Amino acid sequence: MNTTAIITFIVVTFLVALISWIKTRKHKITTSAGLFLANRTLSFTAVGSALFFTNISAAEFVGSSESVYINNMTVMAWGVSSVFAMLLVSEFVIPVYLKGAMSTTPDFLESRYDPQTKKLVSLLFLISYLVNLLPIVLYSGAVALNGLFHFSDSWNISYGSSIWILVWCIGLVGSLYSILGGLKAIVISDLVLGACMFTGALLLAYFGVRHVGNGDLQQGMHTILTSKTEHFNSIGKTGDAIPFSTIFTGMILMNLFYWGTEQVIVQQALASSDLKTSQKGIALACAGKLLGPLLFMLPGIIAVHMYSNMQNTTEVFSRVVSDVSPPVLSGFIAAVIFGAAITSFSPGLNSASTLFILNIYKPAKEKKGIVVTEAKMLKSSKRFEMFASLLAMFIAPLFIFSNDSFYTFMQKINAAFSIPIFTIMFVGFATKKAPPIAAKIGLGFCFVAYILTQMVFDTGIHFLHVLAILFVVTTAIMLIIGRLYPLETAYVAQNKQVVDLKPWKNRYWVNGLLLLIMVLLFLLFSPTFLAN
């Protein structure tokens, strides 16, 4: 364990926390809107940074590098193709949420269907966060930090024991961030860490390529671009982790769900001051996603040229950083990884608390005739975040027993919750008379059917194609029910006039440029160019 790297890690982490404290020390949290939505005052840079960094946890660094090392750059499709989904959400979905002054995405389900559907989906979201999102963020952060600092060797303990310790360290710090600072503190950290991430990625690329060239940067570039180029391929075949065809089936659906209905993401956009700000912020986050190949996948390409065989491939990223970087850079990147884990874990906690307090706790108390004050909600939200954090810290180390590639394993679990919820949201947006019973039946059918196809029956079909099939079947079932038992009165969205709904006038040409870059990236990382 290098002393210089440790000192750098501590200094950078302290500075990020200090800046966040200075910027938020006068921001007193006295209402649920302040805790959950930063009082709807975020600028477009804050929204864009928050969206991007909430999405980018240590799982991106760990999972992407591992996938590129053992396979190729097909995993790039998740991030790069998400730009298309993000722009659709910006244009058609966010205006609906802001128009209805919604604090959570299930709020739409209450106005479109009924309160029971809202509660049911809120519970599914909470289960997903508690057993999947939060534990994965903690686990991936622990894996990365252990690989960078080799704690298991330094402490003379087993690999599993070091993961347990690091999971609890990240979880405790992340809990404090969310409980004490709320969404505002998280967003400020995102802005600072975003700048640090891009700086660290460029420096890592420089030192990594130079290491491959035995100290010669030009030779390193030549080696990477002329040998083992099959790892540059982003156009997946049938045997690859992400076949290219899946981009147009299950992947687009999961991306639409993630950016358009996932509470932990949408909450950042709903905290904007108006629609124009939200759309600008989403465009900024899109630009960040297009830099994914540089940020998260180049370390995997470098690893291909450095290691012929690695037993624990989840440590590919941290092993590259540790072996090619000077100690100061290793400590700097470790601080960014730690920060990424914190600023993904904290929004997850914050969003889980938002869903629990506003959609479950408050309605249950009011149903009993109990008045729920702002003070009671704040106190209960902090208690719930403590419970959620502890549960996630117990579950996270168990991911060490997963047999799948980490990134694939993570997406398969996400899919169990995402597609059922997205389907009933989609039908709710697209139709006006589908009744609440259609949503409940569709939700149950899609969830159970997906579990059966992944755990009981071997369909031989890629799980993303299975998702697309279930989406179509579930939608058909809901439409049939809607035709047989339609609502007596068609649904009409109400404008509560909380924020300005005037759209961003320059969005079309900016969005067109983003989509063009997306297509060019797939061409660049294909057999036509680099992967020849």
Side-chain angles (χ1 to χ4, degrees):
M1 191 186 302
N2 189 283
T3 305
T4 303
I6 291 290
I7 292 173
T8 305
F9 168 78
I10 294 172
V11 169
V12 174
T13 302
F14 173 77
L15 287 175
V16 172
L18 179 63
I19 293 170
S20 179
W21 176 77
I22 291 173
K23 292 290 187 180
T24 59
R25 70 187 189 280
K26 295 181 181 179
H27 174 74
K28 303 298 182 183
I29 300 175
T30 57
T31 65
S32 56
L35 180 66
F36 301 139
L37 294 171
N39 290 317
R40 298 187 190 271
T41 58
L42 298 186
S43 64
F44 89 90
T45 52
V47 171
S49 299
L51 284 169
F52 179 69
F53 228 96
T54 299
N55 170 244
I56 304 304
S57 67
E60 290 289 335
F61 294 94
V62 172
S64 297
S65 295
E66 178 192 27
S67 186
V68 172
Y69 176 78
I70 64 178
N71 194 12
N72 50 35
M73 286 184 64
T74 52
V75 72
M76 179 186 94
W78 281 110
V80 174
S81 71
S82 68
V83 169
F84 177 67
M86 293 166 73
L87 296 179
L88 286 179
V89 168
S90 174
E91 186 69 21
F92 299 108
V93 179
I94 294 300
V96 175
Y97 291 149
L98 292 178
K99 184 178 182 180
M102 297 172 185
S103 299
T104 69
T105 52
D107 286 347
F108 168 76
L109 297 174
E110 180 178 33
S111 61
R112 175 60 185 83
Y113 295 114
D114 61 10
Q116 289 73 32
T117 304
K118 172 184 175 179
K119 184 181 292 186
L120 187 60
V121 169
S122 297
L123 286 171
L124 274 180
F125 267 127
L126 283 173
I127 294 170
S128 174
Y129 291 166
L130 295 178
V131 304
N132 182 41
L133 174 66
L134 296 175
I136 278 178
V137 168
L138 293 178
Y139 173 72
S140 58
V143 167
L145 288 175
N146 185 69
L148 285 168
F149 291 127
H150 310 291
F151 288 115
S152 51
D153 296 331
S154 302
W155 296 337
N156 197 26
I157 58 176
S158 67
Y159 177 76
S161 297
S162 66
I163 295 301
W164 271 97
I165 294 171
L166 291 169
V167 158
W168 278 76
C169 289
I170 296 170
L172 290 172
V173 175
S175 302
L176 289 174
Y177 238 85
S178 180
I179 292 171
L180 299 179
L183 186 63
K184 185 78 173 181
I186 296 165
V187 169
I188 295 299
S189 296
D190 288 342
L191 284 166
V192 179
L193 285 167
C196 292
M197 176 192 287
F198 289 113
T199 303
L202 290 172
L203 290 172
L204 178 60
Y206 169 77
F207 284 107
V209 173
R210 198 177 71 166
H211 184 88
V212 171
N214 296 314
D216 187 328
L217 183 65
Q218 188 173 355
Q219 179 59 42
M221 285 293 297
H222 177 75
T223 301
I224 286 176
L225 293 175
T226 58
S227 64
K228 301 183 180 180
T229 55
E230 65 276 8
H231 287 271
F232 276 122
N233 190 25
S234 66
I235 311 300
K237 299 177 182 177
T238 303
D240 289 325
I242 309 294
F244 190 67
S245 59
T246 61
I247 295 175
F248 308 99
T249 58
M251 187 178 293
I252 181 62
L253 297 177
M254 285 193 68
N255 276 329
L256 284 170
F257 162 81
Y258 184 78
W259 294 100
T261 62
E262 178 70 87
Q263 177 65 25
V264 71
I265 288 294
V266 175
Q267 189 167 335
Q268 319 299 318
L270 296 184
S272 59
S273 55
D274 51 41
L275 176 59
K276 178 173 67 175
T277 300
S278 183
Q279 290 177 331
K280 284 183 178 179
I282 292 173
L284 182 61
C286 287
K289 295 297 290 181
L290 292 174
L291 291 172
L294 170 65
L295 293 173
F296 316 118
M297 293 170 207
L298 185 55
I301 294 292
I302 292 170
V304 168
H305 296 275
M306 290 177 58
Y307 315 116
S308 58
N309 185 31
M310 284 188 67
Q311 289 186 335
N312 185 6
T313 54
T314 56
E315 289 196 338
V316 165
F317 174 79
S318 49
R319 178 84 176 271
V320 169
V321 174
S322 180
D323 289 349
V324 310
S325 305
V328 171
L329 180 59
S330 293
F332 182 82
I333 291 177
V336 172
I337 294 293
F338 182 73
I342 296 301
T343 54
S344 290
F345 184 71
S346 297
L349 274 182
N350 190 271
S351 294
S353 180
T354 305
L355 287 166
F356 175 74
I357 295 299
L358 299 183
N359 295 357
I360 297 174
Y361 170 80
K362 185 180 179 182
K365 291 292 184 182
E366 290 177 341
K367 189 176 181 180
K368 295 179 181 179
I370 300 173
V371 177
V372 183
T373 63
E374 292 287 347
K376 281 185 180 180
M377 284 197 289
L378 288 175
K379 186 176 180 179
S380 298
S381 71
K382 292 176 180 180
R383 287 178 176 176
F384 179 79
E385 287 186 22
M386 291 173 63
F387 161 76
S389 180
L390 288 171
L391 182 61
M393 287 187 277
F394 277 110
I395 293 174
L398 302 179
F399 285 122
I400 199 172
F401 300 109
S402 168
N403 293 323
D404 267 333
S405 159
F406 178 71
Y407 207 94
T408 301
F409 174 75
M410 179 176 67
Q411 297 296 353
K412 281 186 176 181
I413 295 180
N414 285 340
F417 300 94
S418 61
I419 294 305
I421 295 173
F422 173 74
T423 304
I424 68 168
M425 293 282 284
F426 170 79
V427 174
F429 274 111
T431 69
K432 303 299 181 184
K433 286 200 169 185
I437 187 63
K440 297 180 179 67
I441 292 175
L443 196 66
F445 168 78
C446 195
F447 183 80
V448 172
Y450 177 76
I451 296 298
L452 290 175
T453 61
Q454 300 305 305
M455 296 185 177
V456 180
F457 304 110
D458 183 8
T459 62
I461 305 173
H462 194 281
F463 83 97
L464 288 173
H465 289 320
V466 170
L467 291 180
I469 293 170
L470 290 178
F471 169 74
V472 172
V473 174
T474 305
T475 299
I477 291 172
M478 292 184 67
L479 291 177
I480 291 171
I481 295 173
R483 178 61 66 88
L484 295 175
Y485 308 101
L487 288 172
E488 292 183 4
T489 305
Y491 166 73
V492 178
Q494 294 183 340
N495 185 356
K496 296 187 178 180
Q497 298 180 337
V498 173
V499 299
D500 185 359
L501 295 176
K502 184 179 179 181
W504 179 29
K505 65 179 181 179
N506 295 324
R507 67 191 186 281
Y508 292 126
W509 71 264
V510 173
N511 294 350
L513 179 61
L514 290 168
L515 291 173
L516 176 62
I517 296 172
M518 179 189 76
V519 173
L520 291 176
L521 279 173
F522 278 110
L523 287 174
L524 178 64
F525 296 104
S526 73
T528 305
F529 289 97
L530 293 182
N532 50 32

